[in-house]
Amino acid sequence: MTIPATSPTMPVLASASHVVKRFGGMTALDGISLDIRSGEAVGLLGPNGAGKSTLISLLCGLRRVDAGEVRLFGRSPLDPAARLRLGTTPQATSVPQTLRVSETVDFVAAHYPDPVPTADLLADFGLGEMARKQCGGLSGGQQRRLLVALALVGRPEMVILDEPTTGLDVDARDSLWHQLREYQRTGGTLLITSHYLEEIQALAGRVVVIDQGSIIADGTVDDIRGHVTLSRVSFRTGLPSSSFERLPHTVGVETNDDGRVTIVTADGDATVRALVLENLDVRSLEVHAASLEEAFRALTRNHQSGSVDDGPIRAHSQEQP
């Protein structure tokens, strides 16, 4: 699927400008600046403790900044008029255990002027047959689908989803992805965090990487992958995978489920030359660009070691308000 591109002339729906947030002696966000424009699908990546959930809580008006400014639809996120145009699914939340599914949707829908009809919403998320069931009787995956559905019931202009498919099986995840793609196709704006980098790759046209409270990369999926010079050289061999760990530029060696050995390397050309020059037993050789996961790990690893370079993506230097 091709995710629609947005123009820099599209209006900014949410923004953070030189934002600092501290908890006691710990700085969770250290001068972050970010704009999210109408129609974008933005994936927010970072290791645990990087500041992702803190940034989301500020954009949703659940916390206040210590310095800098956050705006939502041109207003303070604390303004109810701004929050009415936003849908959210927090990472850790629960549904009312004794309310029926349809009653829960009706309750949330009553807060909006033009909500999606309850029956239509439940059908879209594969919950139509659960309408009369108590929420406490839903499986964990069904509860997660309901929570994402509730984020969309008010026809929001922007939706923030923190780990939206946690606990879902593959079929349920794919169904939810379809609904989110449809939402964006019709003009909606998405901000998504996920530990499943496949999810970010499937849904986001733009990827923002946060580490240690700073934005270290901001670009398309291809930009992020291209920012690190990692390649995957895979092949079949009769040799143990440990035989290839000594090759120059090798970052890691793994054996895939299909029995192929894959070398993750900082220089794919040099690795292939070494395999040929050393006359090693390799067959059916393939070379691929690094995955988003490998690029993400390399970026955060390099940032922690202080070696992030400017490249085809925007690498953010430390900013102070």
Side-chain angles (χ1 to χ4, degrees):
M1 176 202 171
T2 300
I3 302 208
T6 58
S7 165
T9 61
M10 296 295 283
V12 174
L13 301 190
S15 65
S17 179
H18 306 292
V19 166
V20 175
K21 181 63 184 176
R22 301 184 182 92
F23 297 98
M26 184 194 75
T27 300
L29 296 176
D30 198 359
I32 276 184
S33 294
L34 174 71
D35 288 341
I36 300 171
R37 296 183 178 275
S38 177
E40 283 193 297
V42 180
L44 191 60
L45 292 179
N48 290 334
K52 304 185 301 296
S53 293
T54 299
L55 177 59
I56 284 176
S57 69
L58 294 173
L59 292 172
C60 293
L62 301 177
R63 296 187 185 276
R64 299 173 184 265
V65 301
D66 292 321
E69 184 181 43
V70 174
R71 305 292 287 174
L72 183 65
F73 303 109
R75 303 169 179 261
S76 164
L78 302 176
D79 188 332
R83 294 168 71 167
L84 193 64
R85 300 161 66 183
L86 179 72
T88 65
T89 298
Q91 181 177 356
T93 189
S94 61
V95 293
Q97 299 293 295
T98 57
L99 280 184
R100 300 183 191 276
V101 171
S102 60
E103 291 172 338
T104 302
V105 176
D106 289 342
F107 173 75
V108 176
H111 293 77
Y112 297 96
D114 181 30
V116 178
T118 296
D120 293 346
L121 186 75
L122 293 179
D124 287 342
F125 282 86
L127 295 170
E129 296 182 359
M130 311 288 177
R132 300 290 297 165
K133 192 171 186 177
Q134 287 185 324
C135 292
L138 299 178
S139 68
Q142 290 168 339
Q143 290 189 24
R144 197 65 189 167
R145 281 152 58 195
L146 175 59
L147 289 167
V148 176
L150 292 175
L152 295 175
V153 68
R155 305 185 196 271
E157 295 176 48
M158 178 175 169
V159 173
I160 297 179
L161 303 171
D162 199 354
E163 303 288 343
T165 59
T166 298
L168 296 186
D169 59 33
V170 173
D171 289 341
R173 181 203 65 183
D174 289 347
S175 175
L176 187 144
W177 285 1
H178 172 74
Q179 293 302 322
L180 293 178
R181 289 185 184 116
E182 283 298 300
Y183 167 75
Q184 198 215 354
R185 185 187 63 80
T186 57
T189 302
L190 291 171
L191 176 62
I192 307 165
T193 75
S194 180
H195 281 97
Y196 305 127
L197 297 192
E198 179 188 2
E199 182 162 61
I200 298 298
Q201 191 160 330
L203 294 175
R206 174 184 170 199
V207 179
V208 176
V209 182
I210 296 182
D211 193 24
Q212 299 177 344
S214 298
I215 295 177
I216 62 171
D218 184 347
T220 67
V221 171
D222 287 342
D223 288 338
I224 300 295
R225 283 197 302 234
H227 193 58
V228 294
T229 57
L230 292 181
S231 298
R232 298 175 62 85
V233 179
S234 66
F235 46 82
R236 297 193 180 278
T237 180
L239 299 173
S241 60
S242 58
S243 303
F244 305 96
E245 294 174 353
R246 59 181 176 78
L247 294 179
H249 308 290
T250 296
V251 176
V253 180
E254 60 192 44
T255 301
N256 302 344
D257 292 340
D258 62 359
R260 294 177 66 86
V261 170
T262 297
I263 302 173
V264 180
T265 172
D267 189 331
D269 293 339
T271 296
V272 171
R273 284 196 299 269
L275 291 172
V276 174
L277 289 173
E278 296 193 25
N279 198 28
L280 295 172
D281 173 27
V282 297
R283 305 176 302 278
S284 304
L285 186 138
E286 298 178 0
V287 181
H288 299 281
S291 68
L292 178 59
E293 180 174 2
E294 288 156 344
F296 163 68
R297 289 177 177 173
L299 281 167
T300 54
R301 182 172 60 246
N302 290 342
H303 177 249
Q304 291 164 11
S305 66
S307 61
V308 172
D309 301 319
D310 287 337
I313 55 178
R314 188 167 73 250
H316 293 253
S317 61
Q318 185 76 7
E319 294 182 289
Q320 296 296 331

